[in-house]
Amino acid sequence: MQIFKFMTPEIIFGNQSIGQVGESLRRLGASRVFLVSDPGVVEAGWVERIIHYLQQQHLDYHLWTNVTANPKDYEIHAGIAAYRAGECNAILGVGGGSAMDAAKAIALLATNEGSIVQYEGVDRILHPLPPMVMVPTTAGSGSEVSQFSIIVDSKRKVKMTIVSKSLIPDIAIIDPQTLMTKDRQLTANTGMDVLTHAIESYISLAATPLTEVHSLQAMRLIAQHLRPSAASQYNAAAKQAMAMASLQAGIAFSNAILGAVHAMSHQLGGILDAPHGELNAILLPHVLEYNYIAAPEKYRQIAECLGENTAGLSTHDASRLALKAVKDLANDLDVPHSLSAIGLQPEQIELVSSLALLDVCMTTNPRDMSVQDVAALFRQAL
């Protein structure tokens, strides 16, 4: 008999749901909140709104926005120093994956000693974390519901994958209205990240019936709504659908983990400091082609969820349409097609290939990979 395990935070979803942020922190026992965000989210006005809701609940707060697009270890160490100086007792992350991953890493160090680099890998956190509430403003990383935090080791220039059930936030508040302040390129990049989460979690070796239903529904929503969401900042229906897609893909990959796309893109993010979703969009078609023989029946399901007509086709022909659908979507969104366009040099491939094999996400890729296989995929994507 198989045993399945499934973890998720309390989830509050819907327009105006950020109005519940203060009440949510209050019932978790917070009194002084460490608010982690970034300058872009501040400029968009969401932090000001959040602070208003904290003040309504008479909660003190310390705002910290010194986080970059790919959060670094030294940023986390500066953040925990500010957390302690402010005598905070709860963490609130507001923003994209960078802000939320940084918030979770700071929470980790609030109750666990040492440097953040000591926690790379799986289940290395020993002590419970302070209460955490996450509010995503992109559709997106899924960090608000996941057991992951991705932080750059600045000395090695490697993105560390930190995985622990302790990193799952207590409450995730998803308000689709926050997506209306994101430009077209960010919407496209983060949307392709959601697609990668959905596909990789579906074909993962750790996928279960509890995760697959979320992966498949996320794909259906992406196929219908990512293009119109990228086309218009003010398409409320598309924003709500993409917020739900991001949430469901996040729940899926938090439990089923991911695969080679993320194992590879993490290394590129470390050395190139490039947007994570953009890297995934470039790598996804190449890794899908490689993984095809491991799960042709699942590829057929992917094709159908992405809107391809598979009626009357053999499993081979139907499943090949999954590759077509992904490439068509990337083309329509004008995402970059090559790694060389964003700075990868041929001489860097050997290093990033060896590092990718050590990434936690590689363990659940459905097809075995050697360092030569990974290097070949990087070269195809150049």
Side-chain angles (χ1 to χ4, degrees):
M1 177 180 174
Q2 287 183 294
I3 297 175
F4 303 133
K5 185 165 61 175
F6 190 81
M7 300 167 290
T8 182
E10 176 185 339
I11 295 168
I12 303 172
F13 183 98
N15 291 337
Q16 305 293 341
S17 61
I18 60 168
Q20 297 190 39
V21 69
E23 181 271 339
S24 295
L25 283 156
R26 174 64 69 187
R27 59 188 169 88
L28 290 174
S31 57
R32 185 162 177 81
V33 178
F34 193 69
L35 170 51
V36 179
S37 192
D38 66 59
V41 177
V42 173
E43 185 179 350
W46 296 115
V47 169
E48 183 179 0
R49 291 268 297 273
I50 291 285
I51 289 172
H52 170 71
Y53 298 131
L54 296 179
Q55 292 172 335
Q56 280 186 332
Q57 292 292 324
H58 308 291
L59 290 168
D60 292 330
Y61 68 92
H62 181 99
L63 175 61
W64 186 78
T65 60
N66 298 325
V67 59
T68 53
N70 291 295
K72 319 295 188 295
D73 48 6
Y74 55 82
E75 295 168 1
I76 304 307
H77 297 149
I80 188 58
Y83 175 93
R84 290 171 177 151
E87 299 182 342
C88 299
N89 64 355
I91 299 273
L92 171 60
V94 181
S98 300
M100 292 188 289
D101 280 3
K104 292 198 285 187
I106 292 167
L108 188 168
L109 292 182
T111 52
N112 293 268
E113 296 180 350
S115 165
I116 194 64
V117 300
Q118 296 172 223
Y119 297 92
E120 181 179 11
V122 181
D123 291 337
R124 296 189 174 179
I125 299 174
L126 298 178
H127 304 295
L129 275 56
M132 291 189 290
V133 174
M134 298 293 150
V135 181
T137 60
T138 64
S141 71
S143 186
E144 72 276 7
V145 293
S146 85
Q147 57 176 322
F148 285 68
S149 177
I150 311 298
I151 305 297
V152 174
D153 179 336
S154 58
K155 289 184 179 178
R156 294 185 294 152
K157 292 188 176 179
V158 168
K159 270 192 171 184
M160 302 179 293
T161 303
I162 304 170
V163 187
S164 171
K165 292 182 288 295
S166 299
L167 291 173
I168 298 175
D170 296 280
I171 302 175
I173 299 175
I174 300 98
D175 190 331
Q177 290 184 118
T178 61
L179 305 184
M180 292 185 178
T181 54
K182 302 297 174 286
D183 63 33
R184 182 183 188 280
Q185 194 58 56
L186 182 57
T187 299
N189 288 345
T190 54
M192 290 301 293
D193 193 19
V194 176
L195 178 63
T196 309
H197 292 158
I199 291 176
E200 288 210 293
S201 62
Y202 183 56
I203 63 174
S204 164
L205 293 176
T208 73
L210 294 174
T211 64
E212 289 172 346
V213 63
H214 293 286
S215 303
L216 291 170
Q217 180 60 11
M219 289 181 224
R220 294 185 190 103
L221 291 170
I222 293 162
Q224 296 177 46
H225 299 285
L226 179 51
R227 288 177 178 89
S229 181
S232 170
Q233 282 186 254
Y234 307 106
N235 187 328
K239 301 303 180 188
Q240 181 157 332
M242 283 305 302
M244 181 60 74
S246 180
L247 171 62
Q248 292 200 279
I251 290 171
F253 88 75
S254 179
N255 288 277
I257 318 302
L258 292 158
V261 176
H262 274 79
M264 295 167 69
S265 68
H266 286 161
Q267 315 320 314
L268 297 178
I271 64 168
L272 300 178
D273 205 24
H276 176 66
E278 194 169 86
L279 295 171
N280 283 343
I282 296 169
L283 290 167
L284 182 58
H286 300 281
V287 175
L288 276 178
E289 183 74 50
Y290 177 87
N291 282 336
Y292 165 74
I293 65 168
E297 286 289 351
K298 283 197 165 185
Y299 274 50
R300 182 183 194 122
Q301 290 293 314
I302 293 169
E304 291 174 358
C305 287
L306 294 182
E308 297 295 329
N309 183 2
T310 63
L313 297 180
S314 66
T315 296
H316 175 272
D317 291 344
S319 60
R320 300 299 294 177
L321 291 177
L323 303 172
K324 172 185 178 299
V326 169
K327 291 175 182 176
D328 287 349
L329 180 58
N331 287 335
D332 289 347
L333 295 174
D334 293 328
V335 297
H337 291 85
S338 71
L339 295 175
S340 58
I342 57 174
L344 182 66
Q345 302 299 315
E347 58 270 22
Q348 295 173 305
I349 288 177
E350 183 178 352
L351 173 61
V352 293
S353 298
S354 60
L355 291 172
L357 282 184
L358 303 176
D359 193 283
V360 170
C361 293
M362 192 63 85
T363 61
T364 48
N365 193 68
R367 185 179 176 188
D368 294 343
M369 278 193 170
S370 67
V371 68
Q372 291 81 12
D373 295 326
V374 179
L377 291 175
F378 275 127
R379 291 190 186 95
Q380 286 175 23
L382 267 180

